[in-house]
Amino acid sequence: MDNQSFIFEFMLFDFTEIEELQMFCFFIFTVLYLAILTGNLLIISAIICDHHLHNPMYFFLMNLAIQDLGFISVVVPKSIANILMNTRQISYFGCVCQVFFLAFFMGSDFWILTVMAYDRYVAICNPLHYETIMNKQTSINMILAVWVSSFLNALLNTCFTFATPFCSNIVNQIFCEVPQLLKLSCMDLNQNEIKLIVASCILGIGCFVYILISYASVFSAVLKIPSKEGRKKAFSTCLPHLFVVSIFLLSALIAYMKPPSSVQDLATTVLYCFIPPLLNPLIYSMRNKDIRFALLKLLKM
C-alpha cells in the first residue's frame, strides 16, 4: 500500500492460532479486566460516599482510579472481542479512537501522579498552610488542567500520527499505539512530529524529576518529625503514592525500552496494561487505613 487512503482497517498482533491458548488468553484477560473494574470502582465509590475522604488527596486518588478505568477499557474489551471472534482486525476509525484515548489517559496518568506528589509535598512540608494552598477550588483547577492538557496532547499526537500515509496495515501490538503506527509510515518524521515527540519526552522527564525532588523534600521533612507516630503517619500517606509511581514507570520502561521481540510482546503488553491499574487500588487499600475503613463501610451497606 503506497497511500493511507487505501487502508480501511489495521491488522493487530495475532495472539495464537491454537484454540486452547486463545481460550486461556480470553480467560486471563477477562478475569484481570473484571478485577480492575471492581477494584477501581470500589475506590471511587468509597471516596464519593465517605465525607471524611472529601479532601484533595482522595479527590486526586479518585481521578487516578477513573484514569485507570478509562485506560484499561480502551485496550481490553477490543482484545477480548478479537479473541472470541478469532480475528485481528480493527477499523481505521477504531484505531484512531484507540490512539486518541490511549494518549489521553496515559498523559493524564503521569500528570495526576505529579499533582499527587505536589499535594503530598505541601501536606508534609507546609502543613500549616495546606488548607490554604490546597483548597477545594485549587484542587478542581489542577485536575481540570490535567484533563484539558491531556486532551490537547492526545489530539496533537493523534493528528500527527494519522496525517502521514502508511505503507502497511500490520500493527505489531494488540492495540493501536503511536510508536507502532509510526513504524508503518511511508515517510520520515517531519519537523512538527519530531518537535511533538521531543516536547512530550521533555514534559515526561520534567514530571519525573519533579516527583523525585518532591519526595526527596518529603522524606527529608518526615525524618525531622520528632514523634515516631507522626513519622509513621506521614510515611503511610506517602508510600502508597510512591509505590504507584514506581510501578507505572517500571512497567512503561519495560514495555518501551525492551529490544523488539515478538515472543515477549504479549507478556510485556500484559505487564504494561494490567499491572498498574490492578495494583493501584490494592496498594491504596492495604496501605491507607482511611480507604480500608471507607471500603468496609461501603461493603456493609
Side-chain angles (χ1 to χ4, degrees):
M1 301 178 205
D2 54 13
N3 194 287
Q4 176 184 347
S5 61
F6 291 104
I7 295 181
F8 298 102
E9 64 181 16
F10 290 91
M11 305 295 288
L12 299 175
F13 183 82
D14 191 11
F15 288 94
T16 175
E17 294 181 357
I18 303 174
E19 185 177 350
E20 289 78 7
L21 287 179
Q22 285 182 336
M23 289 300 100
F24 177 75
C25 288
F26 167 76
F27 175 76
I28 293 296
F29 276 35
T30 303
V31 169
L32 289 175
Y33 182 56
L34 292 176
I36 290 167
L37 283 180
T38 303
N40 283 284
L41 285 173
L42 282 174
I43 292 289
I44 293 168
S45 301
I47 293 172
I48 290 174
C49 295
D50 192 333
H51 70 276
H52 294 103
L53 302 183
H54 292 179
N55 60 51
M57 181 175 120
Y58 297 109
F59 175 64
F60 297 142
L61 175 57
M62 183 180 69
N63 277 270
L64 182 66
I66 292 170
Q67 180 278 327
D68 284 337
L69 285 177
F71 177 80
I72 202 70
S73 296
V74 172
V75 174
V76 178
K78 177 60 178 174
S79 299
I80 291 174
N82 279 0
I83 295 172
L84 277 178
M85 295 186 291
N86 194 24
T87 183
R88 299 167 53 193
Q89 287 90 350
I90 182 171
S91 68
Y92 183 89
F93 178 72
C95 192
V96 172
C97 289
Q98 272 200 339
V99 167
F100 174 80
F101 285 108
L102 280 173
F104 176 67
F105 287 116
M106 282 186 64
S108 64
D109 193 351
F110 211 0
W111 292 335
I112 290 173
L113 292 174
T114 305
V115 167
M116 292 175 76
Y118 175 73
D119 174 69
R120 291 300 84 204
Y121 167 78
V122 175
I124 303 298
C125 298
N126 296 287
L128 298 178
H129 300 94
Y130 178 74
E131 291 187 4
T132 303
I133 297 172
M134 296 300 297
N135 56 59
K136 182 179 180 181
Q137 190 57 51
T138 300
S139 303
I140 292 173
N141 290 341
M142 291 174 78
I143 283 298
L144 283 175
V146 165
W147 292 116
V148 171
S149 300
S150 301
F151 176 83
L152 295 175
N153 175 65
L155 189 62
L156 287 172
N157 274 281
T158 306
C159 290
F160 282 128
T161 300
F162 289 92
T164 59
F166 297 114
C167 288
S168 172
N169 69 336
I170 300 176
V171 181
N172 190 32
Q173 182 58 281
I174 63 172
F175 53 87
C176 291
E177 62 175 356
V178 173
Q180 294 297 333
L181 289 170
L182 290 178
K183 293 178 182 179
L184 310 181
S185 175
C186 299
M187 301 168 58
D188 293 331
L189 296 179
N190 61 42
Q191 285 190 340
N192 289 332
E193 289 169 323
I194 293 172
K195 288 177 182 177
L196 182 62
I197 292 170
V198 170
S200 298
C201 291
I202 291 173
L203 187 60
I205 293 170
C207 290
F208 176 62
V209 170
Y210 180 81
I211 291 172
L212 289 180
I213 293 173
S214 296
Y215 273 96
S217 301
V218 164
F219 287 126
S220 175
V222 169
L223 293 174
K224 294 177 183 177
I225 297 175
S227 164
K228 184 178 179 180
E229 188 64 29
R231 288 197 299 271
K232 183 179 178 181
K233 184 177 180 181
F235 275 125
S236 70
T237 62
C238 294
L239 287 179
H241 179 249
L242 199 57
F243 286 152
V244 167
V245 173
S246 302
I247 290 168
F248 173 76
L249 292 175
L250 183 62
S251 60
L253 283 173
I254 291 174
Y256 285 101
M257 302 301 288
K258 70 174 182 61
S261 170
S262 296
V263 177
Q264 298 175 355
D265 277 341
L266 184 57
T268 54
T269 297
V270 170
L271 173 71
Y272 167 55
C273 293
F274 286 100
I275 298 302
L278 179 65
L279 291 185
N280 287 355
L282 291 175
I283 290 170
Y284 277 105
S285 60
M286 287 189 298
R287 295 290 308 180
N288 191 299
K289 65 178 183 180
D290 292 332
I291 288 288
R292 289 201 305 271
F293 182 73
L295 286 173
L296 287 173
K297 271 205 320 184
L298 182 67
L299 293 174
K300 287 178 181 177
M301 289 176 63

